[in-house]
Amino acid sequence: MSGTNAASGAAPCRFAHYFVICGIDTETGLEPDELAALYQWLEADRQGRDPDTAAAGENFEQSPLKRTFKSKVLAHYPENVEWNPFDQDAVNMLCMPKGLSFRTQADSREPQFHSFLITREDGSRTYGFVHTFYEEVTSPQICSAMQTLYQMHQAENPSSATPSSSSSSSSSMDSLASSLDEADSPSSSSCRSAACGGYDASRDTLYVSKALCLITPMPFMHACRRFLSQVHRAVAAAAPPPLPLESYVHNILYEVPLPPPGRSLKFHGVYEPIVCQRPGPGELPLADFPLGQTFTLLGVENLVQLFNCTLLEMQILLYSQDYQRLMTVAEGITTLLFPFQWQHVYVPILPASLLHFLDAPVPYLMGLQSKEGTDRSKLELPQEANLCFVDIDNHCIELPEDFPQFPNKPELIQELSEVLLRYGISPVGGAPPTSVPTSTTTPGSVSTRHPGLKSQQALRELEDDGRNGNLGGEQLAVLDLLQGNATLERLQALAKRTGVRVEALRGVGGEGEAQGGRTAVEEEELRNAKLNVQLREVFASRFTTMFADYEAFVIQSAPDLESWLTNREQMHNFDKASFLSDQPEPYLPFLSHFIETQMFATFIDNKIMSQWEEKEPLLRVFDGRINKARLYNVRAPSLRSSNYQRCTILKESAQAIEQRLLKIDHTAIHPHLLDMKIGQGKYEQGFFPKLQSDVLSVGPTNNNRWSNRTATAQRRKDRHRQQTEHLTLDNDLKEKYMQEARSLGKNLRQPKLSDLSPAVIAQTNWKFVEGLLKECRMKTKRMLVEKMGREAVELGHGEANITGLEENTLIASLCDLLERIWSHGLQVKQGKSALWSHLLHYQAREEKLEQQQQQAESPVSNGPERRKSESSIGMPSLRASVIQDMRHIQSMGAIKTDVGRARAWIRLSLEKKLLSQHLKQLLSRQALTKKLYKRYAFLRCEEEKEQFLFHLLSLNTVDYFCFTSVFTTIMIPYRAVIIPIKKLSNAMTTSNPWVCVSGELGDSGVRQITKNVLEMTFDCQNLGKLTTVQLGHDNSGLLAKWLVDCVMVRNEITGHTYKFPCGRWLGKGVDDGSLERVLIGELALPNADEDCGRGCRTPDMQHSPGQTRRSSITSMGGRGYKPTSAQIQEAIGEAVNIICKHFHKPEKERGSLTILLCGEVGLVGALEQFFHNGFKSARLFQKTVFVWDFVEKAVAYMESADQMGDMQETAEPLGLTCVSLCHYVSAINSSPRNIGKDGKFQLLVCLGARDRLLIQWLPLLVECPVIQRMYEESALLRDRTTVNALIAVLQTLHDFPITLEASLVKGIDL
């Protein structure tokens, strides 16, 4: 194998892929940072200024030492690695996110460490670890250029000699463009040279930043940090290193392998050995960023909330001055997601040039570098409706409104706090930083004469420092020298725990021996690794508990991978409804949101693909854990409890890591002399030498054992690939399919860091527009399929049950989508909700136009409007108006925020089936849209906007009650209209009518109606879906009889109109003598003229779509029609069946039981038909006889028989039953209400069903001799077999707790 091949062949197994040096290119000299200029251009464009003038010329207001200059990749070794091509622009941008920064001897020049990652298009990641230090500028051209720039700056700004921070432009995010991390520069005025921030070539020494970077396939953060700091120490030390630097770089690039899974590896830096370990196949994947630090920075409570927002795929923006903190928190949060993975834009360090990405209307997790002194309130972010803003340095987070909490949150916080306390970390997090007195020595020159004294003082300060060692410049320098640049945050706890004196540390080359022969730093790293794994195990065990049975709900429907990928979009992969119905009640709000996320969808996709491909690593570990849990703890899947189960494997997980780090499995080859030209790369203290590229560009030629091992593995893989190639898909095509399938629903995985021309930005925005449209299509389709129930099942769309919870989740995600669409491409952000802000602009314009019209015109009569209302039966139509709906929302005092108002408005429009129409109306004011939005915004792409409105229009085909059911406490105006049958009755009545409207949430109380007006409006608290109306009158005056056709009641906000059919008389001596009736309602169809523009609608909610209406069988009006005995029995079975189904739904989704008992196909109507069959009701020259008359006669007979003693011999229970029937009938008869005989029979059936007495009363009525007088021989009631069958059917209702609406049982005293 040739040298090159060896290098490349082993690359997947190599610890590091590239060693990179970034800094100033002395050939090209000082170049202003193009990215900073582009950034200014973007900022100006965002603020509506002329971008060209903003970016022209240099920024003379800023001192040259604070400006951004262009950095370059000076060298990288090797030239290229086949499977990880070197991306020069991205690496340069992330190694030096702010470009070059200059310092003089008067400034602090502490080395800095930070990490970054590059996510490639396919979602794979490469990590970078960067050590930045300052090197003296020796080039006279650069020094004189800096001198010239400084003189120009002074000429432009004579006042700048006074100490001042860099003048910040009005730009809210200029924090990013700043070339200088002001956190590094001490702010006391004494520290500056006379000109304060000035530069004079004759007097000052100029320093410039340089970065050393390792690029690795895995995040071995601690090992890379130690290696780079040792390389820098070798450069800064007075004596040259033992070997040329090339030897160490060559060693880590080509001779140090990745540790195999489950093993540890020791390799050698310049001065000390470095140990790293990798988790085994059954353990949580590698995560080397210190989680303890993340918890310290944010506190447990905040971190759990941030974790929750990440799981629900909100937009997450991290904000800190320190790049490493951004990276630590971002990586910390994403490692806690196991077994799920963040699927959206992930940029832990957002370079200035990518600032327009904050405009992205997709979920993202990004880190933004803040500038010292920048106030959070000045940071204008394009959208905040769904944003979780994490201010790391101030230890606080701002959460979006109204999202479900993570299950068992208090217990989770408690368990995490206990783990942290065991490691001496406060769970509260974020203690305020202690102020460090400025030292009198010049920060540039660190005095090292009395290391002992200084180090003790520094350590003492570290111990007192609540923020884990954020010391000022000099103390840091002392500690750095002491500790060989090791991680500072760890010293505090270390000093307390080991009691090691610092002088002792100083004696052994900066790393003293701690207990067990390990150095203090190793001890600390072990502690960190153990804490990391224990914190992660706590989170992982939550998911293992919550998703223990997830496999049972995965739908494996495709025969092979190809057909699955082809039909991926139409496939139903996970039975969400059944999964949710199996979960404990408290988990539902969170889980119903979470199973809609992209990360959950991808997890399920991976599960399905694992039947044809190798299991995805995270999934393999997770499934292994679930199987293990099943072995130990066999629980029936039905017994889901919401009890918190603590993690049981904390000890073992920490021990596994400890054993690996104590017993080293592999040791890499030591660095050795290379075959180099002598005399090149001469050592000069403080300067990083120019490395010899020829020895670093290729690996060793000998086939050492691990490259050999890779070769065999590679051969094995090749064989496997050839075997699987008989899969019909060509591999490239398959990969393309896979990528498409995996990226389904993701709009844009990652921004490209390299090319940033305005054309690319436009292309990015175009992708956003396409992505939003696709998301809208998927969401509306999902909402329709879930809602259309039975029809959808017949079309093959899986289960027909959407739960109210799921519906709520889908609507919440629609609200979120609309917010993101409205915040894409905003010119100027106003308020937290872009949609509400647009509506307010629209409202202001419309109201202004309205006023102008009113002033211009004289009042005109509303002729046509009037006629239209008369044509509809008594109910004037409601005009569809965006403004009117806004006013309803604005008058709701309970909603305090703009985001809340926008969501309420969306829900109201959706319930009224006007969402598409309203938004179309809003966007029809094009001048307003142009004023508010940039040309690339979604709302200004005509074709996409049309399609989007069309998708929303499809939602009009289903009924939503998403406003009524959520805002349950608001006051709502109702309008009630009573419609008499004019031909047969007095439209006028002399009596005083009243009405009481009841709904699922309460009733209106009795409302008196003005005589002969027959219409009234009243305000009362939201009644929910309306169920019954009690209608009555006081029977006063001569014309007291009243024949009512129906009552119509309308909710004046949502426009829902309910019809309560009556068709009977109210009055003494007519019909059944009723003065009051309980009417059962149903949602009425909107009028044709009112419904225009709303599209079609589903059938009524009481009747499932496929069912023919049985009005002929059971409705009160169908008396002329005599149903057959088979039809009657079927109707009873159907009525009981519907009630059983009602109770099998989750409690919150059941709807009204009254309709099922007393409605059109209800139990009462069906039993009434049963009792009417063969009933001798019409008598010659006599009043009509009612079923209730039969019941009363039967009861009278029983009472008289009881008095005569006939009942004494009957069995005891029968006697009791007899007593109960008599008691109930007399209670109904003695009620103060004037309900008629049919009303009384209805009441008896309802009470009997509630108290489970119906089946005991039936035999009594059948045995009663009265039956022979009042029923024909062929009546169903006299057929013992039929009655027994009826009893058996009614028996099934005993399993359910039937509760009756107050309007039914009012005034009954049992």
Side-chain angles (χ1 to χ4, degrees), residues 238-460:
L243 292 169
L245 286 182
E246 282 86 346
S247 297
Y248 303 105
V249 174
H250 183 274
N251 180 253
I252 199 161
L253 284 179
Y254 301 108
E255 293 167 337
V256 177
L258 280 175
R263 300 299 180 87
S264 53
L265 170 81
K266 176 168 157 184
F267 64 95
H268 293 268
V270 185
Y271 298 112
E272 295 98 21
I274 296 167
V275 177
C276 60
Q277 59 87 31
R278 187 170 163 189
E283 298 174 57
L284 295 177
L286 175 70
D288 205 26
F289 287 85
L291 261 179
Q293 190 187 349
T294 307
F295 277 87
T296 308
L297 287 167
L298 294 177
V300 182
E301 172 91 35
N302 281 346
L303 195 117
V304 170
Q305 288 286 43
L306 171 58
F307 170 69
N308 192 6
C309 290
T310 314
L311 284 171
L312 298 176
E313 297 191 332
M314 297 178 175
Q315 292 179 323
I316 292 162
L317 187 62
L318 310 175
Y319 193 62
S320 167
Q321 289 184 39
D322 183 341
Y323 290 127
Q324 185 57 13
R325 282 183 174 183
L326 292 174
M327 190 72 184
T328 303
V329 174
E331 281 291 286
I333 267 304
T334 49
T335 55
L336 294 178
L337 300 176
F338 168 88
F340 306 102
Q341 288 166 293
W342 179 256
Q343 296 295 323
H344 299 275
V345 175
Y346 182 59
V347 189
I349 296 174
L350 187 69
S353 53
L354 283 185
L355 214 59
H356 62 282
F357 247 79
L358 291 173
D359 208 6
V362 290
Y364 57 65
L365 202 169
M366 302 206 228
L368 187 60
Q369 202 241 357
S370 62
K371 191 165 82 174
E372 193 178 31
T374 308
D375 186 7
R376 150 74 180 110
S377 58
K378 291 204 187 79
L379 189 68
E380 291 255 318
L381 299 165
Q383 48 201 356
E384 294 185 42
N386 205 32
L387 180 75
C388 171
F389 182 85
V390 185
D391 188 342
I392 298 174
D393 301 339
N394 294 316
H395 325 288
C396 63
I397 65 177
E398 291 170 28
L399 296 165
E401 284 174 35
D402 185 33
F403 61 92
Q405 292 299 322
F406 191 72
N408 299 111
K409 186 176 133 194
E411 294 93 332
L412 174 64
I413 288 176
Q414 178 61 35
E415 187 175 3
L416 290 167
S417 304
E418 288 169 22
V419 173
L420 289 167
L421 287 167
R422 281 203 290 275
Y423 287 85
I425 291 176
S426 154
V428 182
T434 47
S435 59
V436 179
T438 33
S439 138
T440 45
T441 42
T442 336
S445 57
V446 178
S447 148
T448 48
R449 275 171 306 203
H450 307 294
L453 294 171
K454 274 222 164 149
S455 58
Q456 279 171 334
Q457 175 202 347
L459 265 176
R460 260 202 310 280

Side-chain angles (χ1 to χ4, degrees), residues 134 371 397 421 492 522-523 630 684 765 835 866 1060 1100 1140 1226 1259 1303:
Y134 285 89
K371 191 165 82 174
I397 65 177
L421 287 167
Q492 173 188 16
E522 283 169 355
E523 186 70 26
R630 279 207 196 107
E684 197 178 338
N765 276 305
L835 174 59
R866 191 75 230 153
F1060 298 85
D1100 285 343
C1140 295
S1226 69
S1303 62

